Amino acid sequence: MQVGEVSSGGSSHRGAGASGTVSEDRRVTVFSANGRLYQVEYAWNATRLAGVTSVGVRGADSVCVVGQRRASEPKDKLLDMTSVSRLFPITERLGLLATGIVGEGRALAHEARNQTAEFRFKWGYEMPPDVLAQWIADRAQIWTQYGSKRPSGVVAMILGIDDEKETPQLFTCDPAGYFFGHKAASAGQRDREAVNFLEKKMKNNPSLSFQETVEMAISALQFALKEDLKVTEIEVGAVRTDDPTFRVLTEAEIDEHLKANNPGKAELKATQFLSY
């Protein structure tokens, strides 16, 4: 293997050479010969290591995100799953779904809360969703410029209502410092499968109601995972234009949307129950 050549697993990056230089894949501030920052790419891999997938969908009058409620150590049978969450309220009107390393997502949410509080104190109104997304992206980008830091292993989805336009907003922020607005988005282990599903469903820019928005997000996650979801396995956050308060749906509300997505299965269970 020639100097600078990289294997698929990343284990064959060039190490310290004769001059004693440090390998470019071990320092976030050093570009490789082909212009890549390997530590940023490794951070992307870290967002998938948790084994969870998240989906966000923006409707006509609402925006919704759905994430898997899964522990970092799935073999822990004594864990109270209600304590496991990657969905964080930032302000009364803004929510954040962190996909990736749980601790880093929680730390990001804490910093975002402080930032939005300072913004409100300084300017007298709530931070808009796009401003929060830009701040998170700037934070991530700055961390790629210092050897004393490393990129964050989290993809953040920001949801809220733009008060000036009175429209729902959905943004994603990644470890490289990019942030984009989306009609629909996915992150995590099976994001590609979910995106393929959403691209087909959102091709003609459908005007989705709140119920359709939630059910579209759940359907995309079910399609990506290739399995039916249970109420205890997902968490759903949403914001509506007629009530711009960010809220996490209850298990009863999630169950209603799951039944709407799988009406045949719900009827089968009801029939089996009545037959006993």
Side-chain angles (χ1 to χ4, degrees), residues 57-134:
V57 176
R58 188 185 71 194
D61 60 355
S62 59
V63 56
C64 167
V65 293
V66 180
Q68 287 181 266
R69 190 186 292 273
R70 180 176 177 180
S72 300
E73 180 50 65
K75 295 182 180 180
D76 189 351
K77 296 182 180 180
L78 300 178
L79 187 66
D80 179 6
M81 290 304 296
T82 60
S83 66
V84 179
S85 178
R86 294 175 172 83
L87 185 59
F88 306 96
I90 303 303
T91 68
E92 289 186 354
R93 294 169 174 253
L94 292 175
L96 184 152
L97 178 60
T99 306
I101 301 174
V102 180
E104 295 194 6
R106 188 180 299 111
L108 174 61
H110 179 71
E111 289 187 40
R113 287 168 182 155
N114 290 339
Q115 191 69 19
T116 53
E118 290 180 11
F119 184 95
R120 180 174 178 80
F121 178 78
K122 182 177 181 180
W123 301 106
Y125 64 94
E126 294 285 353
M127 178 183 281
D130 61 320
V131 177
L132 176 58
Q134 182 173 353

Coordinates of all heavy atoms in Angstrom, one line a residue, residues 57-134:
V57 N -40.3 15.5 9.4 CA -41.1 15.8 8.3 C -41.8 17.2 8.6 O -42.3 17.4 9.7 CB -42.2 14.8 8.0 CG1 -43.2 15.2 6.9 CG2 -41.6 13.4 7.7
R58 N -41.8 18.0 7.5 CA -42.4 19.3 7.7 C -43.7 19.3 6.8 O -43.7 19.0 5.7 CB -41.5 20.4 7.1 CG -42.0 21.8 7.4 CD -41.0 22.8 6.7 NE -41.2 22.8 5.2 CZ -40.3 23.3 4.4 NH1 -39.2 23.9 4.8 NH2 -40.5 23.2 3.1
G59 N -44.8 19.6 7.5 CA -46.1 19.7 6.8 C -46.5 21.1 6.5 O -45.8 22.0 6.6
A60 N -47.8 21.3 6.1 CA -48.3 22.6 5.8 C -48.5 23.5 7.0 O -48.2 24.7 6.9 CB -49.7 22.4 5.1
D61 N -48.9 22.9 8.1 CA -49.1 23.7 9.3 C -48.4 23.1 10.6 O -48.7 23.5 11.7 CB -50.6 23.8 9.6 CG -51.3 22.4 9.8 OD1 -50.5 21.4 9.6 OD2 -52.5 22.4 10.1
S62 N -47.5 22.2 10.4 CA -46.8 21.6 11.5 C -45.5 21.0 11.1 O -45.2 20.8 9.9 CB -47.7 20.5 12.1 OG -48.0 19.5 11.2
V63 N -44.7 20.6 12.1 CA -43.4 19.9 11.8 C -43.3 18.9 12.9 O -43.6 19.1 14.1 CB -42.2 20.9 11.8 CG1 -42.1 21.7 13.0 CG2 -40.9 20.1 11.5
C64 N -42.8 17.7 12.5 CA -42.7 16.6 13.4 C -41.4 15.8 13.3 O -40.9 15.7 12.2 CB -43.9 15.6 13.1 SG -43.8 14.0 13.9
V65 N -40.9 15.3 14.4 CA -39.7 14.5 14.4 C -40.0 13.2 15.2 O -40.8 13.2 16.1 CB -38.5 15.2 15.0 CG1 -38.0 16.3 14.1 CG2 -38.7 15.6 16.4
V66 N -39.5 12.1 14.7 CA -39.6 10.8 15.3 C -38.3 10.1 15.5 O -37.5 10.1 14.5 CB -40.6 9.9 14.5 CG1 -40.7 8.5 15.2 CG2 -41.9 10.5 14.2
G67 N -38.0 9.7 16.7 CA -36.7 9.0 17.0 C -37.0 7.7 17.7 O -38.0 7.6 18.4
Q68 N -36.0 6.8 17.6 CA -36.1 5.6 18.3 C -35.7 5.8 19.8 O -34.8 6.5 20.1 CB -35.1 4.5 17.7 CG -35.6 4.0 16.4 CD -34.6 2.9 15.9 OE1 -33.7 3.3 15.1 NE2 -34.8 1.7 16.3
R69 N -36.5 5.2 20.7 CA -36.2 5.2 22.1 C -35.4 3.9 22.4 O -36.0 2.8 22.6 CB -37.4 5.3 22.9 CG -37.2 5.5 24.4 CD -38.5 5.4 25.2 NE -39.4 6.5 24.8 CZ -39.4 7.7 25.4 NH1 -38.5 8.0 26.4 NH2 -40.3 8.6 25.1
R70 N -34.1 4.0 22.3 CA -33.2 2.8 22.5 C -32.0 3.2 23.4 O -31.4 4.2 23.2 CB -32.7 2.4 21.1 CG -31.9 1.1 21.1 CD -31.5 0.7 19.7 NE -30.6 -0.5 19.7 CZ -30.2 -1.0 18.6 NH1 -30.6 -0.6 17.4 NH2 -29.4 -2.1 18.7
A71 N -31.7 2.2 24.3 CA -30.6 2.5 25.2 C -29.3 2.2 24.5 O -29.2 1.5 23.5 CB -30.7 1.5 26.4
S72 N -28.2 2.8 25.0 CA -26.9 2.6 24.5 C -26.4 1.1 24.7 O -25.7 0.6 23.9 CB -25.9 3.5 25.1 OG -26.2 4.9 24.9
E73 N -26.9 0.5 25.8 CA -26.6 -0.9 26.1 C -28.0 -1.6 26.0 O -28.7 -1.7 27.0 CB -26.0 -1.0 27.4 CG -25.6 -2.4 27.8 CD -24.9 -3.2 26.7 OE1 -23.7 -2.8 26.5 OE2 -25.4 -4.1 26.2
P74 N -28.3 -2.2 24.8 CA -29.7 -2.8 24.7 C -29.9 -4.0 25.5 O -31.0 -4.5 25.7 CB -29.7 -3.1 23.2 CG -28.3 -3.2 22.7 CD -27.5 -2.2 23.6
K75 N -28.8 -4.6 26.0 CA -28.9 -5.9 26.8 C -29.3 -5.6 28.2 O -29.5 -6.6 29.0 CB -27.6 -6.6 26.8 CG -27.2 -7.1 25.4 CD -25.9 -7.9 25.4 CE -25.5 -8.4 24.0 NZ -24.3 -9.2 24.0
D76 N -29.4 -4.4 28.7 CA -29.7 -4.0 30.0 C -31.3 -4.2 30.2 O -32.0 -3.3 29.9 CB -29.3 -2.6 30.4 CG -29.4 -2.3 31.9 OD1 -30.1 -3.1 32.6 OD2 -28.9 -1.3 32.3
K77 N -31.7 -5.3 30.7 CA -33.1 -5.6 30.9 C -33.8 -4.9 32.1 O -35.0 -4.9 32.2 CB -33.4 -7.1 31.0 CG -33.0 -7.8 29.7 CD -33.3 -9.3 29.9 CE -32.8 -10.1 28.6 NZ -33.1 -11.5 28.7
L78 N -32.9 -4.3 32.9 CA -33.5 -3.6 34.1 C -33.6 -2.1 33.9 O -34.0 -1.4 34.8 CB -32.5 -3.9 35.3 CG -32.3 -5.3 35.7 CD1 -31.3 -5.4 36.9 CD2 -33.6 -6.0 36.1
L79 N -33.3 -1.7 32.7 CA -33.4 -0.2 32.4 C -34.8 0.3 32.3 O -35.7 -0.4 31.7 CB -32.6 0.0 31.1 CG -32.4 1.5 30.7 CD1 -31.5 2.2 31.7 CD2 -31.8 1.6 29.3
D80 N -35.1 1.4 32.9 CA -36.4 2.1 32.7 C -36.3 2.9 31.5 O -35.7 3.9 31.4 CB -36.6 3.0 33.9 CG -38.0 3.7 33.8 OD1 -38.7 3.4 32.9 OD2 -38.2 4.6 34.7
M81 N -37.0 2.4 30.4 CA -36.9 3.0 29.1 C -37.5 4.4 29.0 O -37.2 5.2 28.1 CB -37.6 2.1 28.0 CG -36.9 0.8 27.8 SD -35.1 1.1 27.3 CE -35.4 2.0 25.7
T82 N -38.4 4.8 30.0 CA -38.9 6.1 30.0 C -37.9 7.2 30.3 O -38.0 8.4 30.1 CB -40.1 6.3 31.0 OG1 -39.5 6.0 32.3 CG2 -41.2 5.3 30.7
S83 N -36.7 6.7 30.9 CA -35.6 7.6 31.2 C -34.7 7.8 30.0 O -33.8 8.6 30.0 CB -34.8 7.1 32.4 OG -34.2 5.9 32.1
V84 N -34.9 7.0 28.9 CA -34.1 7.1 27.7 C -34.7 8.1 26.7 O -35.8 7.8 26.2 CB -33.9 5.7 27.1 CG1 -33.0 5.8 25.8 CG2 -33.3 4.8 28.1
S85 N -34.0 9.1 26.4 CA -34.6 10.1 25.4 C -33.5 10.8 24.7 O -32.5 11.2 25.3 CB -35.5 11.1 26.2 OG -36.0 12.0 25.2
R86 N -33.7 11.1 23.4 CA -32.9 11.9 22.6 C -33.6 13.2 22.1 O -33.1 13.9 21.3 CB -32.3 11.1 21.4 CG -31.4 10.0 21.8 CD -31.0 9.1 20.6 NE -30.0 8.2 21.0 CZ -30.2 7.0 21.6 NH1 -31.4 6.6 21.9 NH2 -29.2 6.2 21.8
L87 N -34.8 13.4 22.7 CA -35.6 14.5 22.2 C -35.7 15.5 23.4 O -36.1 15.2 24.5 CB -37.0 14.0 21.9 CG -38.1 14.9 21.4 CD1 -37.6 15.6 20.1 CD2 -39.4 14.2 21.2
F88 N -35.2 16.7 23.1 CA -35.1 17.8 24.1 C -35.8 19.0 23.8 O -35.7 19.6 22.7 CB -33.6 18.1 24.3 CG -32.7 16.9 24.5 CD1 -32.0 16.3 23.5 CD2 -32.5 16.4 25.8 CE1 -31.2 15.3 23.7 CE2 -31.7 15.4 26.0 CZ -31.0 14.8 25.0
P89 N -36.6 19.5 24.7 CA -37.2 20.9 24.6 C -36.1 21.9 24.8 O -35.4 21.8 25.8 CB -38.3 21.0 25.6 CG -37.9 20.0 26.7 CD -37.1 18.9 26.0
I90 N -35.9 22.9 23.9 CA -34.9 23.9 24.1 C -35.5 25.2 24.6 O -35.1 25.8 25.6 CB -34.2 24.2 22.7 CG1 -33.6 22.9 22.2 CG2 -33.1 25.3 22.9 CD1 -32.6 22.2 23.1
T91 N -36.6 25.6 24.0 CA -37.5 26.7 24.6 C -38.9 26.2 24.5 O -39.2 25.0 24.1 CB -37.3 28.0 23.8 OG1 -37.9 27.8 22.5 CG2 -35.9 28.4 23.6
E92 N -39.9 27.0 24.8 CA -41.3 26.6 24.7 C -41.6 26.4 23.3 O -42.6 25.6 23.0 CB -42.2 27.7 25.3 CG -42.1 27.8 26.8 CD -43.1 28.8 27.4 OE1 -43.8 29.5 26.5 OE2 -43.3 28.9 28.6
R93 N -40.9 27.0 22.3 CA -41.3 26.9 20.9 C -40.3 26.1 20.1 O -40.5 25.9 18.9 CB -41.4 28.3 20.3 CG -42.6 29.1 20.9 CD -42.5 30.5 20.5 NE -43.7 31.3 21.0 CZ -44.7 31.7 20.2 NH1 -44.6 31.4 18.9 NH2 -45.7 32.3 20.7
L94 N -39.2 25.7 20.6 CA -38.1 25.0 19.9 C -37.8 23.6 20.5 O -37.7 23.5 21.7 CB -36.8 25.8 19.8 CG -36.9 27.1 19.0 CD1 -35.5 27.9 19.2 CD2 -37.1 26.9 17.6
G95 N -37.6 22.6 19.6 CA -37.2 21.3 20.1 C -36.0 20.8 19.3 O -35.7 21.3 18.2
L96 N -35.3 19.9 19.9 CA -34.1 19.3 19.3 C -34.1 17.8 19.4 O -34.3 17.3 20.5 CB -32.8 19.9 19.9 CG -31.5 19.6 19.4 CD1 -30.5 20.7 19.6 CD2 -30.9 18.3 20.0
L97 N -33.9 17.1 18.3 CA -33.7 15.7 18.3 C -32.3 15.3 18.0 O -31.8 15.7 16.9 CB -34.7 15.0 17.4 CG -34.6 13.5 17.2 CD1 -34.9 12.8 18.6 CD2 -35.5 13.0 16.1
A98 N -31.5 14.7 18.9 CA -30.1 14.4 18.7 C -30.0 13.0 18.4 O -30.4 12.1 19.1 CB -29.3 14.8 20.0
T99 N -29.3 12.7 17.2 CA -29.0 11.4 16.8 C -27.5 11.1 16.8 O -26.8 11.8 16.2 CB -29.5 11.2 15.3 OG1 -30.9 11.6 15.2 CG2 -29.4 9.7 14.9
G100 N -27.1 10.1 17.6 CA -25.7 9.8 17.8 C -25.4 9.5 19.2 O -26.2 8.8 19.9
I101 N -24.3 10.0 19.7 CA -23.8 9.7 21.0 C -24.7 10.5 22.0 O -24.9 11.7 22.0 CB -22.4 10.2 21.2 CG1 -21.5 9.4 20.2 CG2 -21.9 9.9 22.6 CD1 -20.0 9.9 20.2
V102 N -25.4 9.7 22.9 CA -26.4 10.3 23.8 C -25.9 11.4 24.7 O -26.5 12.5 24.8 CB -27.0 9.2 24.7 CG1 -28.1 9.8 25.6 CG2 -27.6 8.1 23.8
G103 N -24.7 11.2 25.3 CA -24.2 12.2 26.2 C -23.8 13.5 25.5 O -24.1 14.6 26.0
E104 N -23.4 13.4 24.2 CA -23.0 14.6 23.5 C -24.3 15.3 23.0 O -24.3 16.6 23.0 CB -22.1 14.3 22.3 CG -20.8 13.7 22.7 CD -19.8 13.7 21.6 OE1 -20.1 14.2 20.5 OE2 -18.7 13.2 21.8
G105 N -25.3 14.6 22.8 CA -26.6 15.2 22.4 C -27.2 16.0 23.6 O -27.7 17.1 23.5
R106 N -27.1 15.4 24.8 CA -27.6 16.0 26.0 C -26.8 17.3 26.3 O -27.3 18.4 26.7 CB -27.5 15.1 27.2 CG -28.2 15.6 28.5 CD -28.1 14.6 29.6 NE -28.7 13.4 29.3 CZ -28.1 12.2 29.0 NH1 -26.8 12.1 29.1 NH2 -28.8 11.1 28.8
A107 N -25.4 17.2 26.1 CA -24.6 18.4 26.3 C -24.9 19.5 25.3 O -25.0 20.7 25.7 CB -23.1 18.0 26.2
L108 N -25.2 19.1 24.1 CA -25.5 20.1 23.1 C -26.9 20.8 23.4 O -27.0 22.0 23.3 CB -25.7 19.4 21.7 CG -26.2 20.3 20.5 CD1 -25.3 21.5 20.3 CD2 -26.3 19.4 19.3
A109 N -27.8 20.0 23.9 CA -29.1 20.6 24.2 C -29.0 21.6 25.4 O -29.6 22.6 25.4 CB -30.1 19.5 24.6
H110 N -28.1 21.2 26.4 CA -27.9 22.1 27.5 C -27.3 23.5 27.0 O -27.7 24.6 27.4 CB -27.0 21.5 28.5 CG -26.6 22.3 29.7 ND1 -27.5 22.6 30.7 CD2 -25.5 22.9 30.0 CE1 -27.0 23.4 31.6 NE2 -25.7 23.6 31.2
E111 N -26.3 23.4 26.1 CA -25.7 24.6 25.6 C -26.7 25.4 24.8 O -26.7 26.7 24.8 CB -24.4 24.3 24.8 CG -23.3 23.7 25.6 CD -22.0 23.6 24.7 OE1 -21.8 24.4 23.9 OE2 -21.3 22.6 24.9
A112 N -27.5 24.7 24.0 CA -28.5 25.4 23.2 C -29.5 26.1 24.1 O -29.9 27.3 23.7 CB -29.2 24.4 22.3
R113 N -29.9 25.6 25.2 CA -30.8 26.2 26.1 C -30.2 27.5 26.7 O -30.8 28.6 26.8 CB -31.2 25.3 27.3 CG -32.1 24.2 26.8 CD -32.2 23.1 27.9 NE -33.1 22.0 27.5 CZ -33.0 20.8 28.0 NH1 -32.1 20.5 28.9 NH2 -33.8 19.9 27.6
N114 N -28.9 27.4 27.0 CA -28.2 28.6 27.5 C -28.2 29.7 26.4 O -28.4 30.9 26.7 CB -26.8 28.3 28.0 CG -26.8 27.5 29.2 OD1 -27.8 27.5 30.0 ND2 -25.7 26.8 29.5
Q115 N -27.9 29.3 25.2 CA -27.8 30.2 24.1 C -29.1 30.9 23.8 O -29.2 32.1 23.5 CB -27.2 29.5 22.9 CG -26.8 30.4 21.7 CD -25.6 31.2 22.1 OE1 -24.8 30.9 23.0 NE2 -25.3 32.3 21.3
T116 N -30.2 30.1 23.8 CA -31.5 30.7 23.5 C -31.9 31.7 24.6 O -32.6 32.7 24.4 CB -32.5 29.6 23.3 OG1 -32.5 28.7 24.4 CG2 -32.3 28.8 22.0
A117 N -31.6 31.3 25.9 CA -31.9 32.2 27.0 C -31.2 33.6 26.9 O -31.7 34.6 27.1 CB -31.6 31.5 28.3
E118 N -29.9 33.5 26.5 CA -29.1 34.7 26.3 C -29.7 35.5 25.2 O -29.7 36.8 25.2 CB -27.6 34.4 26.0 CG -26.9 33.8 27.2 CD -25.4 33.5 26.9 OE1 -25.0 33.9 25.8 OE2 -24.8 32.9 27.7
F119 N -30.1 34.9 24.1 CA -30.7 35.6 22.9 C -32.0 36.3 23.4 O -32.1 37.5 23.0 CB -31.0 34.6 21.8 CG -31.5 35.2 20.6 CD1 -30.6 35.5 19.5 CD2 -32.9 35.5 20.4 CE1 -31.1 36.1 18.3 CE2 -33.3 36.0 19.2 CZ -32.4 36.3 18.2
R120 N -32.8 35.6 24.1 CA -34.1 36.3 24.5 C -33.8 37.5 25.5 O -34.4 38.5 25.4 CB -35.0 35.2 25.2 CG -36.3 35.8 25.7 CD -37.2 34.8 26.2 NE -38.5 35.4 26.7 CZ -39.5 35.8 26.0 NH1 -39.4 35.6 24.7 NH2 -40.5 36.3 26.5
F121 N -32.8 37.3 26.4 CA -32.5 38.4 27.3 C -31.9 39.6 26.5 O -32.2 40.7 26.9 CB -31.4 37.9 28.3 CG -31.0 38.9 29.3 CD1 -31.7 39.3 30.4 CD2 -29.7 39.6 29.1 CE1 -31.3 40.3 31.3 CE2 -29.3 40.6 30.0 CZ -30.1 40.9 31.1
K122 N -31.1 39.4 25.5 CA -30.5 40.4 24.8 C -31.5 41.1 23.8 O -31.5 42.4 23.7 CB -29.3 39.9 24.0 CG -28.5 41.0 23.2 CD -27.3 40.4 22.5 CE -26.5 41.4 21.8 NZ -25.3 40.8 21.1
W123 N -32.3 40.3 23.1 CA -33.1 40.9 22.0 C -34.6 41.0 22.4 O -35.3 41.7 21.6 CB -32.9 40.1 20.7 CG -31.5 40.0 20.2 CD1 -30.7 39.0 20.3 CD2 -30.8 41.1 19.6 NE1 -29.4 39.3 19.8 CE2 -29.5 40.6 19.4 CE3 -31.1 42.4 19.3 CZ2 -28.5 41.4 18.8 CZ3 -30.1 43.2 18.7 CH2 -28.8 42.7 18.4
G124 N -35.0 40.3 23.4 CA -36.4 40.5 23.8 C -37.4 39.6 23.1 O -38.6 39.8 23.3
Y125 N -37.0 38.7 22.3 CA -37.9 37.7 21.7 C -37.2 36.4 21.5 O -36.0 36.3 21.7 CB -38.4 38.3 20.3 CG -37.3 38.4 19.3 CD1 -37.1 37.4 18.3 CD2 -36.6 39.6 19.2 CE1 -36.1 37.6 17.4 CE2 -35.6 39.8 18.2 CZ -35.4 38.8 17.3 OH -34.4 39.0 16.4
E126 N -38.0 35.4 21.2 CA -37.5 34.0 21.1 C -36.6 33.8 19.9 O -36.8 34.4 18.9 CB -38.6 33.0 21.0 CG -39.5 32.9 22.2 CD -38.9 32.1 23.4 OE1 -37.8 31.6 23.2 OE2 -39.5 32.1 24.5
M127 N -35.5 33.0 20.1 CA -34.6 32.8 19.0 C -35.3 32.0 17.9 O -36.0 30.9 18.2 CB -33.4 31.9 19.5 CG -32.4 31.6 18.4 SD -31.1 30.5 19.0 CE -30.0 31.8 19.8
P128 N -35.3 32.4 16.6 CA -35.9 31.7 15.6 C -35.2 30.3 15.3 O -34.0 30.2 15.6 CB -35.7 32.6 14.3 CG -35.5 34.0 14.9 CD -34.7 33.7 16.2
P129 N -35.9 29.4 14.7 CA -35.3 28.1 14.5 C -34.0 28.1 13.6 O -33.0 27.4 13.9 CB -36.4 27.3 13.7 CG -37.6 28.0 14.1 CD -37.3 29.4 14.3
D130 N -34.0 29.0 12.6 CA -32.8 29.0 11.7 C -31.6 29.6 12.4 O -30.5 29.3 12.1 CB -33.1 29.8 10.4 CG -33.5 31.3 10.7 OD1 -34.3 31.5 11.7 OD2 -33.1 32.2 9.9
V131 N -31.8 30.5 13.3 CA -30.7 31.1 14.1 C -30.1 30.1 15.0 O -28.9 30.0 15.1 CB -31.2 32.4 14.9 CG1 -30.1 33.0 15.7 CG2 -31.7 33.4 13.9
L132 N -31.0 29.3 15.7 CA -30.4 28.2 16.5 C -29.7 27.2 15.7 O -28.6 26.8 16.1 CB -31.6 27.5 17.3 CG -31.2 26.3 18.1 CD1 -30.2 26.7 19.2 CD2 -32.4 25.7 18.8
A133 N -30.2 26.8 14.5 CA -29.5 25.9 13.7 C -28.1 26.4 13.2 O -27.2 25.7 13.2 CB -30.4 25.6 12.4
Q134 N -28.1 27.7 12.9 CA -26.8 28.3 12.5 C -25.8 28.3 13.6 O -24.6 28.1 13.4 CB -27.0 29.7 12.0 CG -25.8 30.4 11.5 CD -26.0 31.7 10.8 OE1 -27.1 32.1 10.6 NE2 -24.9 32.4 10.5

